Amino acid sequence: MSTTYDLKLVVLSILIATVASFSAFSMVERYRSASSKNKKIAWNLCGALVMGIGIWAMHFIGMLALKFPIPVTYDIPITILSIVPVIFAFSAVMWLMTLETFSHYRLLIGGLLLGSGIGLMHYIGMAAMRLNAVMVHDNTVVYFSTLIAVILAIVALKIQYAAINQNQSEFINKKQLFSAIVMGFASSGMHYTAMTAVQFMPLTTNKVIDGVSPITLALIVTVVVLVLLLLAILIPHLLRYKQIINTVNEDAIRLHAMMDTSIDAIIQMNGTGDIIGWSSRAQHIFGWTSNDALGQELAKLILPVQFRDSHRQALKRFLVTGEGASLGNIIEIEALHQDGHNIPIELTSSVITLTDGVEFNSIIRDISQRKKAEAKLILANKELAFQNQEKDKRAAELALAAIVFSHTREGIIITNASADIIKVNDTFTEVTGYSRQEAVGQNIHFFQSDKESPEFYTLMWQAVNTKGYWIGTIWNRRKNGEMYPENLTLSAVTNTASEISHYVALYSDITQLNKSHQSQLERMAHFDNLTNLPNRTLLADRLNQAILKSSQYDKLLAVTFLNLDGFKAINDIHGHHVGDDLLIAISLRMKKAIREGDTLSRIGGDEFVLVLTDLAKSDDCNQVLERLLLAASDPVTIGDLVLNVSASIGVTFYPKDGADSGILMRNADQAMYVAKQSGKNCYHLFDSADYDVVNRQQESLANIRAALTKREFVLYYQPKVNMSTGAMVGVEALIRWQHPVRGLVPPLDFLPIIENHTISLDIGEWVIDTALSQISQWQSIGVKFPISVNISAHQLQQTNFVERLATLLAAHPDVSPHLLELEVLETSALNDINYIIATMNACISLGVKFSLDDFGTGYSSLTYLRRLPASVIKIDQTFIRDMLTDADDLAIVLAVVSLAKAFRIEVIAEGVETVEHGTALLELGCELAQGYGIARPMPASEVLTWLDTWKPNSAWLS
């Protein structure tokens, strides 16, 4: 007999099975979370009923969807009985799923129970059919249909177990929905597969069917079942929602109770930095009420001003990167009370990530009392440590005193206030021959000899009792009667009442100082230890004798004062040991250069004095002086170093320039000073006019130092431009003296005076610091260009120049070092090329740049130019000035520009005074220039105005 299906009813049956499975699975979670046994039983029964009714409805509607050509009726009791297997099976499965673990074994049992229950329900339902036909089953398909139900039931239960362990606050869980669909297909798949296993063999087909149509009956069953399933779905979720709301409310109550009862303040902040939670303890610590604090910016309310910006920046950084350095860490900071005073607090912050942003929780503890206690503890520990140190120090001193007393090679005698001996050391016994027992109790006068007078001892004891000590040489007597000399220090010891309680005698036996020692002492007293030349003492004696001899024989006497040029730099750069070796070498040379009978003396450092005697006329000393200059200026090789110095010599004559040795020495010193000012490596004969020169020099130096103190120096700035584009590429800082009387003093009136003086270093550092400050000021208004400053050779050769430059740069952290350019004279760079290169490279590592100033005026060398790390060379203005009329100057300028291009170094011309100069330079390939034809030096306040109005000559523009 052939049968057909109503497709609509088939789909409806599958949908009902899916909805029923979803409803039943929803009750599994309620069953798991039920607090009492009765509730668990109730939820188990409800879930089993819902699953049974749903699958039974699916089966019944599926049967109704089958269209028979013969009448079909159902046995009502058997039909109702068919629900029971699924109810019992799912009840057992719910129990298995709520156990502590849902193992694979339990999963298999659950799948077999549920699949078998579905199959049993199906065949009981078919047994309830009443029709005029015989049902014949294909056993293989029957078993396969049951297997389908078991396998899909296992899959559904596996998915559902994973679903109930996820977020239970969601109304529809994706895994739960998927498990319901699988379960729906498990029951419907088993049903329709099983229906293909049966064949209906009709007995007769002439009976007429009366009653309700299958579709109508299916709809009635569907409506009733769907209503029941909808209630089964909604009720658990409504109960779950109510439970969640209650839980949230209880958590909120507990949170507020915890916040209000905690000894720590709890503050909550949203992602914009505003306060959204403020506990009562926070009000106690900071003074602000909850109404005052809520909605306020946390940084503005409780953070000191200096911390607010960093807090805001950290908050912004966290919102972008999700990283916060202080999150999760306990930190100590200063917070702000309502009344304005600072509070030390301990802060722990954490972040809560929400669906619509983040919130921050901060636990704050007032640690004011702890800090006070810590401060007291630290103070107490320091005091205790100090006391312990004092005790240890005292114990160490006593131990050391005992060691010194016992082991010193000086004799020690300790007496009471009456000068009776109470203690002596071992050296006393060795020196005097008296044992400790023989000496103790004797008066200290017991050892006196007859060599000292009573008056001597009276004066000695007067000094001890008035000044507290006496030091000198005294003769005493040994036990065997021998007298011996000793160096004695006799001291008085007073008690807390300032009364003398003891005397201490410390002495050394000096008998062993023989004539050889006396001779050595004599030499040490009259000769320089380093060079073995006569020292100042012996010089004074010999000079006085030479003056007497010259006066007696009517001869001239020359006193020369010699100072080595450049020695200090060598000493600073290479060390004192190299400087000492250099002094020894030059001393030997100069000693060979003088005549027999002359006296060459070293009076200190790099200063020497030569006394030339028996001169008939002043010119007689010229040859000796020339030999001295040559001896000093010839290179000296020390190890791997080749050193060059020279000498400046001042000469004065007796009796022409003075009759006193002191006056002669002073005159020679003054003449030597003039020789240095005259260019060094020369000698100068004393002239009374030298006094005026030196005095004026000293007065000028004093005035310049006072000007620096009074801030009378100012910097003018001369623009440097690119002539082909008109762009300003920087400025050169030029010092001026704003004298209160003389007005604006140009640099040539005072810079030569301070050359190689200490004041030049102070002024050089002032120029760098002022230039850096000016860069900072211009940067603050959006203007940025480099400033070049001139560095003297004396300043560049200082051993601490790099360190001092780093300090000046560090004082202006907002200024990029590359905006500072140091201009050094070519000649200064060539004095000690290796040292200068090392210094320049160290400065370049700090970020500054170098340029070679007045290029072409020194002893230019391609080798030096290649090695020097300068980025700019500046053509001296003496060549620029006459380049239009002097072919030699033009050739020099062209050569310098070509050199610069060859070495890839920028070149700039100074002294550009006319348009024609600029045009000629551009034709030679030099684009950078400065000079009066572009702009005169001007105060910083006028630079920006000049820049706004500056227009290059049209002939220059490319």
Side-chain angles (χ1 to χ4, degrees), residues 445-462:
H445 301 295
F446 177 73
F447 308 105
Q448 291 178 1
S449 69
D450 298 333
K451 279 205 171 187
E452 312 293 355
S453 65
E455 292 78 10
F456 172 86
Y457 290 110
T458 300
L459 293 174
M460 181 184 74
W461 283 103
Q462 283 180 355

Side-chain angles (χ1 to χ4, degrees), residues 621-637:
C621 66
N622 290 354
Q623 291 184 356
V624 177
L625 297 176
E626 292 293 344
R627 290 198 298 270
L628 286 175
L629 291 174
L630 185 62
S633 60
D634 278 351
V636 177
T637 300

Side-chain angles (χ1 to χ4, degrees), residues 159-196:
I159 297 171
Q160 176 59 25
Y161 183 76
I164 63 176
N165 289 296
Q166 288 189 347
N167 188 358
Q168 298 170 4
S169 62
E170 295 181 3
F171 183 75
I172 297 179
N173 185 295
K174 291 181 181 179
K175 288 187 177 180
Q176 183 176 333
L177 180 60
F178 185 57
S179 66
I181 293 172
V182 174
M183 193 64 225
F185 278 106
S187 57
S188 59
M190 179 272 159
H191 171 79
Y192 290 110
T193 302
M195 292 302 295
T196 63

Side-chain angles (χ1 to χ4, degrees), residues 129-148:
M129 295 177 65
R130 298 291 182 260
L131 72 167
N132 191 20
V134 176
M135 291 182 284
V136 179
H137 293 273
D138 184 335
N139 291 335
T140 302
V141 179
V142 168
Y143 296 144
F144 180 68
S145 66
T146 305
L147 182 62
I148 288 175

